[in-house]
Amino acid sequence: MVATTMKASFPLLMLMGISFLASVCVSSRSDPQNPFIFKSNKFQTLFENENGHIRLLQKFDQRSKIFENLQNYRLLEYKSKPHTIFLPQHTDADYILVVLSGKAILTVLKPDDRNSFNLERGDTVKLPAGTIAYLVNRDDNEELRVLDLAIPVNRPGQLQSFLLSGNQNQQSYLSGFSKNILEASFNTDYEEIEKVLLEEHEKETQHRRSLKDKRQQSQEENVIVKLSRGQIEELSKNAKSTSKKSVSSESEPFNLRSRGPIYSNEFGKFFEITPEENPQLQDLDIFVNSVEIKEGSLLLPHYNSRAIVIVTVNEGKGDFELVGQRNENQQEQTKEDDEEEEQGEEEINKQVQNYKAKLSSGDVFVIPAGHPVSVKASSNLDLFGFGINAENNQRNFLAGDKDNVISQIQRPVKELAFPGSAQEVDRILENQKQSHFADAQPQQREIGSRETRDRLSSV
């Protein structure tokens, strides 16, 4: 009887926000037991020097079995100071690259051509596996921050970079070829090849050795290096302007804000480009979105029908709450463990769990398909998301004036599904006059508080 009541009342309570889940009937978990949040310290530093860094987020499926379908997706963050360049390399992974902040020049090489693009915040582009590219921070003052979703093509979840210019930790891949192959390929003596393309020859002068030692004092300095203003001007000459980018381009960057938001009001804006709109995203079955939530506002409870969404906090602070099952915080278990718990799994799965976390810049959280979620901003909050399994995804809101899927339930079914009458359900649904975003402070509570203050003041 208790289970039946809980099942019936759950959707109705959702109408009043996810905060009800902290009640006695439904358990609640926050960090570090929340498998859906990856704090910024979960990024591993792959490279760092005084000019910037490259960081890789831990594997998603290391946190919970529910992320098994994300085992071949990795998230990387690139940051560089003004007037610097990430030198040429290629990777055995497809990339979706997005600029979080700053201004960049992205140069993409082809066997018989190259294309350069001026990039700004919100610009997004696919880089197919094996593409040689280099990235410049062209701004005079602002740091460049870039986010990459990588999909490896060789080994699931394992990606490898191949550097044209070697460093202390990794040699140039050209140095892997034999002397004879290099001499025949470049039609040049090996000593000249070694001196120009690979490394200093053993018999170089002491002066040249000294210069090399100074370069190596800065860890891996020849991965992110400084550029002069003249060099940046030279690299900018043939770069295509951002104003020429199209959302439907098959190879050129596009901007999330080149079209109006799909949801917008005084409390927030929601921009999104889907695979149906962009062939680069269609190839990987991914959507990209950007969400702005004003301070003190709420992205109303909703869920995605098919998509698993990986969300990065670009700027600001806030809170998120996600509704799942109690056992979803479990990590990978042995076969024996699974067999022992198989009998109780059906009963455990009936128990609703509230997962919550504080959000700050650099954090990542994951929203599995079908899991209701809501986000509240304690300061102006800027989020960026990648949606996996994006084709034909439907976003279903559980509250709000428009796009509220619960409001589509017919009256006889409302009478059966909820403990209240259909009229009472409709009244609750109609209380929220906003759609998609709303004030995080319920209006009814504000009215009640004001009436209480008025009564106290009259006494």
Side-chain angles (χ1 to χ4, degrees):
M1 184 66 182
V2 174
T4 303
T5 303
M6 188 63 203
K7 181 179 179 181
S9 60
F10 174 71
L12 179 61
L13 291 169
M14 283 294 298
L15 305 180
M16 296 179 283
I18 296 183
S19 60
F20 80 93
L21 287 167
S23 66
V24 176
C25 297
V26 182
S27 56
S28 175
R29 290 184 184 271
S30 56
D31 295 328
Q33 296 176 308
N34 186 342
F36 302 99
I37 181 74
F38 296 77
K39 303 301 287 184
S40 58
N41 60 10
K42 295 298 182 180
F43 279 89
Q44 172 193 358
T45 299
L46 301 181
F47 160 78
E48 185 172 22
N49 68 7
E50 69 273 16
N51 298 317
H53 68 236
I54 303 172
R55 301 196 305 160
L56 175 69
L57 187 64
Q58 74 171 108
K59 292 183 178 180
F60 295 106
D61 59 333
Q62 287 180 344
R63 296 295 300 275
S64 171
K65 292 187 293 183
I66 197 172
F67 298 140
E68 287 178 344
N69 284 347
L70 293 181
Q71 64 177 321
N72 198 37
Y73 295 87
R74 304 301 302 272
L75 198 65
L76 295 103
E77 181 211 37
Y78 294 77
K79 181 184 287 188
S80 64
K81 292 184 177 181
H83 293 188
T84 57
I85 181 173
F86 290 91
L87 289 176
Q89 62 174 293
H90 72 269
T91 308
D92 63 343
D94 291 319
Y95 278 86
I96 295 290
L97 177 153
V98 60
V99 177
L100 297 179
S101 62
K103 298 178 180 179
I105 305 169
L106 173 68
T107 300
V108 180
L109 306 184
K110 299 180 179 180
D112 57 355
D113 194 13
R114 68 172 177 268
N115 289 307
S116 294
F117 307 98
N118 287 320
L119 303 182
E120 297 182 354
R121 178 173 177 167
D123 284 341
T124 307
V125 66
K126 174 191 173 184
L127 295 178
T131 301
I132 297 179
Y134 42 96
L135 189 68
V136 173
N137 182 346
R138 61 185 173 93
D139 197 78
D140 293 335
N141 302 301
E142 188 176 5
E143 285 189 338
L144 175 67
R145 292 179 59 236
V146 171
L147 195 66
D148 280 348
L149 181 68
I151 306 99
V153 296
N154 283 326
R155 295 178 296 170
Q158 305 282 341
L159 56 101
Q160 184 174 359
S161 296
F162 297 84
L163 304 180
L164 267 176
S165 55
N167 59 60
Q168 288 177 317
N169 291 344
Q170 184 176 345
Q171 293 177 304
S172 165
Y173 57 77
L174 294 177
S175 65
F177 289 105
S178 66
K179 176 180 177 180
N180 291 339
I181 292 294
L182 289 173
E183 286 185 333
S185 298
F186 292 105
N187 195 26
T188 304
D189 290 338
Y190 180 75
E191 290 186 358
E192 185 70 13
I193 294 172
E194 185 181 44
K195 181 175 66 176
V196 175
L197 296 180
L198 304 179
E199 60 184 3
E200 301 289 352
H201 192 268
E202 291 182 1
K203 295 183 179 180
E204 287 296 322
T205 64
Q206 185 64 37
H207 176 66
R208 292 180 64 86
R209 287 185 181 220
S210 176
L211 290 177
K212 181 183 177 183
D213 290 341
K214 289 180 179 179
R215 288 201 311 270
Q216 291 181 341
Q217 287 175 2
S218 178
Q219 180 189 11
E220 301 178 349
E221 185 176 356
N222 53 343
V223 173
I224 308 176
V225 300
K226 292 288 291 183
L227 290 174
S228 67
R229 186 178 298 274
Q231 289 172 319
I232 290 179
E233 291 175 355
E234 179 69 23
L235 293 171
S236 301
K237 283 183 178 179
N238 298 316
K240 297 182 181 180
S241 171
T242 57
S243 62
K244 297 181 180 180
K245 294 193 294 294
S246 169
V247 168
S248 59
S249 171
E250 294 186 1
S251 60
E252 296 189 1
F254 57 93
N255 194 285
L256 279 165
R257 290 171 174 77
S258 59
R259 294 182 179 178
I262 59 173
Y263 315 128
S264 178
N265 62 20
E266 61 181 298
F267 302 104
K269 295 180 180 180
F270 196 119
F271 300 86
E272 185 169 78
I273 305 296
T274 66
E276 291 80 6
E277 299 170 301
N278 184 275
Q280 299 177 55
L281 300 176
Q282 187 175 35
D283 184 42
L284 298 175
D285 195 14
I286 289 172
F287 67 63
V288 291
N289 60 34
S290 177
V291 182
E292 301 173 1
I293 309 175
K294 296 290 183 64
E295 179 179 353
S297 300
L298 181 73
L299 175 60
L300 290 173
H302 66 279
Y303 67 90
N304 292 281
S305 61
R306 298 190 71 252
I308 307 170
V309 188
I310 302 168
V311 184
T312 297
V313 181
N314 187 23
E315 295 176 351
K317 294 181 180 296
D319 301 84
F320 97 99
E321 294 194 16
L322 181 143
V323 181
Q325 304 296 339
R326 184 175 179 180
N327 64 336
E328 289 180 329
N329 65 316
Q330 295 176 354
Q331 298 180 351
E332 289 292 338
Q333 295 177 320
T334 64
K335 183 177 180 180
E336 291 77 10
D337 291 335
D338 289 337
E339 290 175 351
E340 290 176 1
E341 297 186 3
E342 186 174 356
Q343 294 181 347
E345 184 174 350
E346 183 178 352
E347 182 64 29
I348 291 175
N349 284 340
K350 294 179 181 178
Q351 300 184 32
V352 173
Q353 179 80 52
N354 167 242
Y355 296 91
K356 60 177 65 176
K358 296 287 185 181
L359 300 176
S360 58
S361 180
D363 292 344
V364 175
F365 61 96
V366 181
I367 310 169
H371 286 55
V373 66
S374 183
V375 181
K376 181 174 68 174
S378 53
S379 68
N380 287 342
L381 192 60
D382 183 62
L383 308 174
F384 182 86
F386 296 101
I388 314 300
N389 303 327
E391 188 175 3
N392 298 321
N393 178 65
Q394 178 69 47
R395 186 173 294 107
N396 294 313
F397 280 86
L398 303 170
D401 184 46
K402 298 178 181 178
D403 299 327
N404 183 344
V405 66
I406 296 179
S407 66
Q408 301 303 316
I409 300 175
Q410 294 168 295
R411 290 181 64 85
V413 180
K414 289 177 183 174
E415 295 280 359
L416 298 171
F418 303 106
S421 67
Q423 184 178 1
E424 291 171 327
V425 173
D426 288 339
R427 185 173 66 249
I428 289 180
L429 292 174
E430 293 167 2
N431 277 343
Q432 180 55 267
K433 305 303 182 185
Q434 300 294 333
S435 302
H436 314 118
F437 299 94
D439 192 337
Q441 179 70 22
Q443 185 178 3
Q444 295 297 326
R445 185 182 302 173
E446 288 182 351
I447 294 173
S449 298
R450 187 165 58 250
E451 291 175 347
T452 300
R453 287 195 302 269
D454 291 343
R455 285 197 301 269
L456 291 173
S457 62
S458 64
V459 173

